[in-house]
């Protein structure tokens, strides 16, 4: 009798573990990631955008991040970044200097629980175009 009981307990434990794994397999947890971006910054103030990422948080205290690692405009130059949702900007504009590491900022509440993308433009009204790359994250925790 004890042997049958032990066998049933093991089967039940395995079933509970399996169901727990299945129940959480579709859940994506926010973390501090580095999603690559690379695009051309157009002339004047034309906008460039990354691919969209889902911002699952409901808190503006969960900041977004950008790191301008490279600019063909040169070392120490500035590009303006923000996050964008649909046809709306959902954070303040931020002027980022190339080579200064990762910067984090609070978004607007309209960025929460939605798909957002990184937006960028030249920080000055110029006919020059240049390439930028680095990484960003729609939410850091």
């Amino acid at each position: 009798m004890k042997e049958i009981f032990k066998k049933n307990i093991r089967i039940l434990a395995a079933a509970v573990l399996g169901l727990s794994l299945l129940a959480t397999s579709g859940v994506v947890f926010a973390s501090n990631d580095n999603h690559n971006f690379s695009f051309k910054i157009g002339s004047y103030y034309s906008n460039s955008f990354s691919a969209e990422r889902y911002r699952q948080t409901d808190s503006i205290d969960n900041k977004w991040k950008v790191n301008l690692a490279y600019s063909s405009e040169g070392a120490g130059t500035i590009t303006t970044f923000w996050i964008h949702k649909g046809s709306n900007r959902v954070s303040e504009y931020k002027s980022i200097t190339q080579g200064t590491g990762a910067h984090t900022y609070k978004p607007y509440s309209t960025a929460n629980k939605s798909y957002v993308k990184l937006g960028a433009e030249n920080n000055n009204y110029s006919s020059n175009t240049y390439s930028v790359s680095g990484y960003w994250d729609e939410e850091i925790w």
Side-chain angles (χ1 to χ4, degrees), residues 20-120:
S20 297
L21 291 173
L22 278 175
T24 60
S25 65
V27 177
V28 177
F29 296 101
S31 62
N32 191 358
D33 300 315
N34 293 324
H35 306 293
N36 293 328
F37 71 85
S38 178
F39 38 71
K40 183 177 181 179
I41 300 296
S43 58
Y44 305 104
Y45 293 126
S46 63
N47 297 164
S48 298
F49 296 101
S50 71
E52 290 184 326
R53 308 240 4 126
Y54 187 70
R55 184 176 162 80
Q56 67 185 21
T57 185
D58 59 2
S59 173
I60 62 168
D61 292 326
N62 191 340
K63 298 177 179 182
W64 63 278
K65 171 178 74 176
V66 63
N67 182 331
L68 177 57
Y70 168 79
S71 171
S72 66
E73 197 176 31
T77 56
I78 298 171
T79 300
T80 302
F81 291 91
W82 65 94
I83 55 173
H84 211 83
K85 172 184 166 183
S87 60
N88 299 307
R89 184 173 48 89
V90 290
S91 76
E92 293 180 9
Y93 293 110
K94 298 297 178 180
S95 295
I96 308 297
T97 302
Q98 183 278 328
T100 58
H103 301 267
T104 60
Y105 303 102
K106 284 187 177 184
Y108 300 152
S109 62
T110 51
N112 296 339
K113 299 279 189 191
S114 60
Y115 283 92
V116 297
K117 54 191 172 184
L118 180 67

